[in-house]
Amino acid sequence: MTATNAAAAESDAEARSILERAAAASFPPLHAVHHLLSVGVCVRCIFRMFGAFSHACSCASLTVSFFHSFLEEHDDSAKGGPCSCLSTDESCCSICFGILLPTCHQDEGVVPFDDISRIDIITSMVSQAIQREGYQIDGFSLEISLPAVVAANERAIRLYMKEKYGSENWFKDEMFSQQTMSAKEGLRLLIAPSLEKQLGVKHGNNSFRIRLTYTHDDASLKLKSLLPNDSNRKRKAESREGNDTRRNSTYDDKQTLSEADSFIHKSLEGIQDKEFCSLFKLPPEKVSKPCHLVISFLRSPIYIGGRYLKLSRNVSQSCWIIDDERMGEASVEEIIKESVCAISRGDGYKFHAAGREDIDVRMLGSGRPFLIEVLNVRSIPSAIEIQQISDKINSSEKKHVRIRNLKLVDNEIWAMMREGEAEKQKQYAALIWTSSPLTDDDLQKISVINDMVQYICLLVNPAS
């Protein structure tokens, strides 16, 4: 027996063991399971709805065909003739739309993944995208966004089960709320181990976030049309879009999607079961088109901070342009960010400083605290690279700006900025000319005055 055949036999044995334990425990009777398969519910949705998904999530052989073979051995209703649960013209689960039994869009059409190991294809896509974007990572957290129609269809299946089997002794309505695992959590159990293996880093609470966004436009539009008061909301949305110059942007598409899903979830929460059954088809229709998947990445901002000295009277703190004309030779912000962003390779940056000075005022002494907030960086600079940034700025021939104590900062950020705020109190010196000599009494009066307005009045009219 080859290694491949041995692995397949081991996986088959594991699948059989899972099914036998489920059949002997609190799992629904086999005829009810067979019926769920026949209305388009995938194997993994059946298991997670009845609390057994965690035992089945990594089993490659736990497919519809294997499940049906098991049913034929143990359930007379599954024997003889063609079975609707093995239909090949419907490739997606009527609850999760193929999310838990992944499918892939190719030029020749939708290609189903026959076993759980094919989840590696999705994780390979993630890995390739990370390499293409040039991210350097030491771990990851996983964010998953599913269309609201998944929750609606799951509720429809639950109510359908209650309607069909509610009078049977085995059925208990509370079994769902106590045992059900969400489709999102189920997908996380499938994806995370494969990603760890593919990327060579651990999944957990990490600043680098992998986001899997699933959408199904056709099903979502149909669901929205069934919800009450949706037409009124559509008119409001169209009115807003008429004045929105960004409505074709990626930002707006994501915001619109988020608003639509939020609306659907809130609407579904406000609908009682009886009204839900009157609005929606039970069970939900089978679907052949899987969800569309968008993979994106985001790293939490990093902060690089220190103190800057401004040696030139012709350099502003931030970029200063009036009527397309630059004021001054350069800016502190641009000089620092150019070197920082070249190494960290972020999507953007924000410059923060504890106070500011005018363009014609130098900043000397210990310098002014500042932070560069770099967004979605591809690489977090090392201590050596931070020193290289500092050396590059300080060795510039123009000698406009110098920086001190440059380093990556985290919890020190706000303490450092507050320290700078405390130092913001300004002191001024002035040379004053008077038309007549000041007497000792005049000097005594001046020395005890703190209010600048009174001080000016005294100089104008010393006798007052």
Side-chain angles (χ1 to χ4, degrees):
M1 180 181 291
T2 66
T4 301
N5 291 336
E10 183 179 351
S11 181
D12 288 350
E14 180 186 2
R16 179 169 295 278
S17 175
I18 290 171
L19 294 176
E20 288 175 348
R21 291 200 307 271
S26 58
F27 210 62
L30 295 181
H31 70 275
V33 174
H34 179 264
H35 187 72
L36 283 173
L37 289 173
S38 70
V39 297
V41 182
C42 74
V43 176
R44 290 179 176 81
C45 275
I46 292 174
F47 269 84
R48 71 178 180 82
M49 288 181 69
F50 292 97
F53 182 81
S54 59
H55 300 99
C57 64
S58 61
C59 182
S61 292
L62 198 59
T63 61
V64 173
S65 58
F66 190 93
F67 209 159
H68 183 74
S69 298
F70 181 84
L71 290 173
E72 283 186 322
E73 297 175 12
H74 297 80
D75 182 16
D76 292 337
S77 65
K79 295 179 179 179
C83 181
S84 59
C85 77
L86 294 176
S87 175
T88 58
D89 61 341
E90 307 290 348
S91 60
C92 297
C93 173
S94 57
I95 293 181
C96 73
F97 294 89
I99 291 170
L100 297 180
L101 282 173
T103 56
C104 180
H105 278 289
Q106 295 184 355
D107 292 339
E108 62 270 23
V110 176
V111 179
F113 297 164
D114 293 329
D115 58 65
I116 193 62
S117 66
R118 299 297 295 275
I119 200 76
D120 291 340
I121 292 181
I122 294 180
T123 57
S124 179
M125 291 166 57
V126 172
S127 177
Q128 291 171 16
I130 290 174
Q131 293 178 17
R132 189 168 56 249
E133 290 284 332
Y135 284 102
Q136 296 178 7
I137 63 174
D138 58 1
F140 69 93
S141 60
L142 184 60
E143 296 180 350
I144 298 172
S145 175
L146 303 183
V149 67
V150 171
N153 282 6
E154 184 166 319
R155 183 177 179 183
I157 287 292
R158 292 178 183 179
L159 292 174
Y160 175 70
M161 290 284 286
K162 182 178 181 180
E163 182 181 277
K164 187 171 182 64
Y165 299 109
S167 61
E168 297 188 16
N169 293 333
W170 65 268
F171 185 87
K172 296 179 181 179
D173 194 26
E174 66 273 11
M175 67 192 302
F176 291 111
S177 60
Q178 292 177 352
Q179 299 183 27
T180 299
M181 174 183 289
S182 70
K184 184 181 296 186
E185 185 58 30
L187 182 59
R188 194 184 308 277
L189 285 175
L190 291 172
I191 293 280
S194 185
L195 279 173
E196 288 183 333
K197 181 180 178 180
Q198 184 81 33
L199 301 176
V201 294
K202 289 295 185 180
H203 168 249
N205 186 16
N206 193 276
S207 64
F208 179 73
R209 305 193 293 277
I210 299 172
R211 185 170 181 82
L212 306 179
T213 303
Y214 290 84
T215 57
H216 199 293
D217 293 342
D218 294 343
S220 295
L221 287 172
K222 184 175 181 180
L223 174 60
K224 285 197 292 182
S225 69
L226 296 173
L227 294 172
N229 301 322
D230 187 55
S231 59
N232 182 50
R233 179 182 176 275
K234 284 181 180 177
R235 285 195 293 270
K236 291 181 179 179
E238 290 169 358
S239 175
R240 289 198 303 269
E241 288 174 1
N243 297 321
D244 190 354
T245 59
R246 298 181 309 173
R247 65 177 181 272
N248 293 322
S249 67
T250 301
Y251 170 85
D252 190 64
D253 289 342
K254 290 181 179 179
Q255 188 176 37
T256 300
L257 175 64
S258 177
E259 290 177 353
D261 278 348
S262 177
F263 163 76
I264 292 174
H265 279 298
K266 288 181 179 179
S267 298
L268 289 172
E269 289 173 0
I271 296 176
Q272 299 298 317
D273 286 350
K274 185 176 181 180
E275 183 184 3
F276 185 97
C277 292
S278 67
L279 292 172
F280 297 91
K281 182 178 179 180
L282 304 182
E285 296 179 351
K286 294 182 180 180
V287 291
S288 58
K289 180 180 177 182
C291 284
H292 178 69
L293 170 62
V294 173
I295 300 170
S296 58
F297 312 105
L298 184 66
R299 176 175 267 129
S300 300
I302 66 168
Y303 297 87
I304 299 176
R307 287 172 174 264
Y308 74 80
L309 288 79
K310 186 162 78 74
L311 310 180
S312 170
R313 295 187 186 275
N314 198 28
V315 171
S316 57
Q317 185 189 76
S318 56
C319 183
W320 188 12
I321 296 176
I322 300 178
D323 295 332
D324 297 327
E325 182 178 352
R326 173 182 284 278
M327 301 291 106
E329 294 182 56
S331 69
V332 175
E333 172 187 354
E334 292 170 296
I335 291 172
I336 297 176
K337 76 94 179 176
E338 181 179 353
S339 296
V340 169
C341 292
I343 288 181
S344 59
R345 295 177 293 132
D347 285 347
Y349 75 95
K350 296 178 183 178
F351 182 82
H352 309 273
R356 62 187 303 117
E357 65 283 327
D358 293 335
I359 188 171
D360 58 350
V361 175
R362 293 184 297 173
M363 168 53 63
L364 304 177
S366 61
R368 186 185 298 280
F370 75 90
L371 292 169
I372 289 281
E373 178 183 355
V374 194
L375 310 176
N376 197 23
V377 300
R378 271 46 174 188
S379 174
I380 299 178
S382 65
I384 294 176
E385 289 173 322
I386 293 290
Q387 186 59 49
Q388 290 173 349
I389 293 172
S390 183
D391 293 343
K392 180 179 179 180
I393 295 173
N394 291 340
S395 61
S396 171
E397 293 181 0
K398 293 187 177 180
K399 302 184 185 303
H400 290 326
V401 174
R402 295 291 180 269
I403 55 177
R404 304 173 56 222
N405 305 329
L406 193 66
K407 59 183 176 180
L408 275 172
V409 291
D410 40 45
N411 295 332
E412 309 165 60
I413 296 172
W414 309 120
M416 187 174 69
M417 298 302 279
R418 283 194 296 270
E419 178 184 339
E421 291 289 336
E423 297 173 359
K424 278 176 59 179
Q425 184 175 358
K426 300 176 182 178
Q427 297 179 347
Y428 294 89
L431 178 62
I432 300 175
W433 178 86
T434 63
S435 58
S436 59
L438 295 177
T439 66
D440 290 341
D441 289 341
D442 293 333
L443 294 175
Q444 178 62 30
K445 289 179 180 179
I446 292 172
S447 66
V448 298
I449 293 176
N450 294 319
D451 192 328
M452 183 61 71
V453 175
Q454 294 182 25
Y455 181 79
I456 293 173
C457 291
L458 177 63
L459 291 183
V460 171
N461 185 10
S464 61

